[in-house]
Amino acid sequence: MTAVEVCAVVLAAGEGSRLRPLTERVPKALCPVGNVPLLDRVLTRLAGLGLTGTRRVAVNASYLAGQVIAHVGDRAHRSVEPDGPLGTAGGVAKLHDWIGGRGVLVGNADAYLADPRRPPGPDIAALLHGWDGETVRLLGQPAADPTAPGTFDGHVFTGFSLLPWRRVRDLPVEFGDLVRTVWRPAEAAGELTVVPYPGTFYDTGTPVDYLTANLHAAGGGTLVDPTALVTGLCRSAVIGAGARVHGAVTNAVVWPQATVRPDEHVRNAIRVGDELTVGAGEPLLPGASSMSGEADERSELP
């Protein structure tokens, strides 16, 4: 795939403020999509590339860090940012010693990717194929407006970038973003390439994108965890572990252990616990790409 040794960094430190109040309970990286935490989806994708274990994969954490650290366990090296998230660049910089001269595949924990033709891992393998260890590569999809701010060579970023050591080694351990510190300088030097992603992408950063990603993961139908109890009517929904659905659910996500009472109809929304319902509006059509740029970091847009 590449002669250059590569490690992977999963960025999971952010709060996900646009998903509040969902993220008042859990960090965005642990929000379930298709009944699988987003972080686990990234780790599975990396494993599909042969990147596993504490030497090859690192995960950073800051907001509700204890939950992230406990969830990761011994599956990856863990990097805690105790004074608040350091941003995408600062998070990578804090792992300088662990990276130790290798190329870095950086993935956003909140990026939902799905390609019906390839399993996770092989679906982004083109990002690594033939890499010389010197240039910056971004995974992207054609933008609706190729000239819009935040695009790269007419593409929107879809969650993964490949960085050479020479552009990582001098990053300061302070708040900063990869757009300004690495990507745009590489682009200006003619050293940035966008590798197209042919599947579906959502950054899950807003309730509607999060809901749409869940419905896409359900394949247009209803996905019910085997431990859930459903006596009501479900149409186009994701029902989590231990959930109890006695009412109606349409175009919705019911989180693990949540309850929908017999007199309720949860529609175009996410239900958490017994009472919290987060409205999302009409979901995007499954299969349509979300053009949201670098996920969860609005300050990262140029």
Side-chain angles (χ1 to χ4, degrees), residues 15 38 40 43 54 102 115 124 201 216 255 263 275 283:
E15 175 183 352
L38 280 161
D40 288 352
L43 293 176
T54 57
R102 294 178 288 181
D115 185 345
I124 67 166
F201 161 71
H216 185 275
W255 269 23
D263 60 339
E275 301 293 339

Side-chain angles (χ1 to χ4, degrees), residues 215-222 235-237 286:
L215 299 184
H216 185 275
T222 295
R235 295 192 185 95
S236 187

Side-chain angles (χ1 to χ4, degrees), residues 233-257:
L233 179 64
C234 296
R235 295 192 185 95
S236 187
V238 176
I239 313 299
R244 297 170 299 281
V245 178
H246 304 299
V249 177
T250 305
N251 288 341
V253 179
V254 180
W255 269 23
Q257 310 304 321

Side-chain angles (χ1 to χ4, degrees), residues 73-153:
D74 61 0
R75 291 183 292 169
H77 177 80
R78 302 171 296 181
S79 175
V80 178
E81 300 163 17
D83 299 322
L86 288 169
T88 54
V92 172
K94 192 173 188 297
L95 285 159
H96 179 276
D97 290 343
W98 177 83
I99 295 168
R102 294 178 288 181
V104 189
L105 177 62
V106 181
N108 290 353
D110 52 15
Y112 171 81
L113 300 170
D115 185 345
R117 293 156 293 188
R118 302 174 186 85
D123 65 336
I124 67 166
L127 195 61
L128 298 171
H129 283 152
W131 187 53
D132 60 4
E134 296 293 327
T135 60
V136 171
R137 290 183 174 182
L138 303 183
L139 195 69
Q141 290 185 329
D145 178 0
T147 64
T151 58
F152 295 84
D153 191 24

Side-chain angles (χ1 to χ4, degrees), residues 258-286:
T259 300
V260 178
R261 296 185 299 275
D263 60 339
E264 291 185 296
H265 185 181
V266 177
R267 180 182 177 86
N268 297 336
I270 301 98
R271 166 55 62 88
V272 181
D274 294 336
E275 301 293 339
L276 176 61
T277 302
V278 178
E282 289 288 340
L284 300 173
L285 290 175

Side-chain angles (χ1 to χ4, degrees), residues 96 164-171:
H96 179 276
W165 168 247
R166 68 186 182 88
R167 290 195 176 273
V168 169
R169 63 189 174 200
D170 296 325
L171 290 175

